[in-house]
Amino acid sequence: MPNDALEQMIAESPALAPETDTGAFAGGTAPAAFTPPLPDAIKAMVGQGVFAASRLACSAAGVTDLDGQEVVVLTEALSGVLKFYITPDMDERTAAWLGLGIAAVSIVVNRKPLAPVNDNPAPAPIHENDNPSPNTVTLGDGTTISA
Amino acid sequence: MGPLLAPDNRVFLGVGGSGKSTLARHQSYGPWPRVIICDPNAEEAHAAGAIVVSDQGELPAILATGEPVRICWRGFDGMGEEKGLDWACRAAWAAGDCLIVWDEMDFFYPFVTHTSWAYKLWNAGRHQRCRVFAIARSALAIPRTLTRNMTRAMVFHTQEPSDLQLLSGTRSKPGLIGPEAAVAVAGLKPYHAVDWQRGGAWTVKRAPFD
């Protein structure tokens, strides 16, 4: 007697993939699934984040900033780790928030302090016998000639 | 055939190498014609004498033949642990008159929700003549939504305080097997287990036992 529930399960199942010669020895395990690299856009943001965070860390540690090549090396290594966590099946909203976070942090950390604003500037000093203009010449007899 | 008169849901607890899986396998040979062993670790011992199945469609197809069969289910790599467990439980329910063994409940317990086939099978499987054996290292891996319908627990030695507390219970919260049996668990010899049965009766036995 056919079992309708099991027949339904069979119908829901994907068809068996055709057997291919993977070169694996009999009884061997299947090769590990390939993990795709990070998308370029995410990798660029990671690079910004690495640059910004390294500046902050180097400043706190009192050491010199990373140079461009060091940032690239660190970004590549970090991307190699993050690809296992930032996967293509991550939902778009999470990815967008993550991107915003990285971009915001990198932008904020990259700000340089402005020169302090002086609300009460000292008056300019007054010097006697100053030339009133660079184009004015006073002769020895006191005569002034303007260009 | 009608439903089982009472559920037959057994729990096997113990640290790695204590003998819980061996005991579960020993008890898995019973009067039921079909056995499905959920084997996420791909253990050779589980595969012995069984048909190893990894394909999603092959599992219901084998059961649909209606023949007595022992299946070692390893569809977790392809389907993931949650869907793989759910699929096996659904197949067991659909086939009926079978035993399903959940090895490594420590992996699976988050997936036993009120809407899962695992939950349905555990709580109502007797109507399909289905039995469930759950194997775990920690008592914490057996959700408390399941323990009320647990009919038998075989507990090997452990010294983990949180496990012993759950087994023993506290003043405000009764334990899984009670304080006296929990004390016995803490002092068990290797390959010995406390065999607790619903109602509270328990004895210490040397594995394997029926």
Side-chain angles (χ1 to χ4, degrees), chain B residues 7-29:
Chain B
D8 186 2
N9 296 329
R10 307 181 197 178
V11 169
F12 302 79
L13 299 174
V15 296
S18 59
K20 59 188 183 302
S21 296
T22 306
L23 179 58
R25 270 196 307 277
H26 173 81
Q27 294 189 6
S28 70
Y29 294 92

Side-chain angles (χ1 to χ4, degrees), chain B residues 164-170 173-186 196 202:
Chain B
L164 288 173
Q165 188 183 50
L166 184 63
L167 293 169
S168 171
T170 61
K173 196 171 183 181
L176 216 55
I177 59 175
E180 293 84 6
V183 168
V185 166
W196 177 95
W202 61 274

Side-chain angles (χ1 to χ4, degrees), chain B residues 9 11 38 76 81-90 100-124 132-136 138-150:
Chain B
N9 296 329
V11 169
C38 295
F76 305 101
E81 287 168 352
E82 182 174 11
K83 287 182 180 173
L85 176 71
D86 213 48
W87 190 253
C89 291
R90 183 181 166 191
I100 186 165
V101 180
W102 300 338
D103 196 4
E104 294 291 357
M105 268 301 281
D106 306 82
F107 296 165
F108 292 134
Y109 75 92
F111 312 134
V112 184
T113 62
H114 285 79
T115 55
S116 66
W117 282 96
Y119 183 86
K120 187 174 181 178
L121 199 62
W122 182 277
N123 285 297
V132 183
F133 290 3
I135 306 171
S138 169
L140 297 165
I142 309 298
R144 290 312 294 258
T145 53
L146 298 188
T147 51
R148 70 169 60 87
N149 218 24
M150 176 180 78

Side-chain angles (χ1 to χ4, degrees), chain A residues 15-67:
Chain A
L16 264 175
E19 288 188 15
T20 53
D21 182 10
T22 59
F25 61 89
T29 55
F34 171 71
T35 305
L38 282 185
D40 288 342
I42 298 286
K43 203 166 172 180
M45 283 191 288
V46 171
Q48 288 180 13
V50 167
F51 177 62
S54 70
R55 284 194 58 195
L56 201 64
C58 291
S59 172
V63 297
T64 55
D65 285 346
L66 303 188
D67 63 31

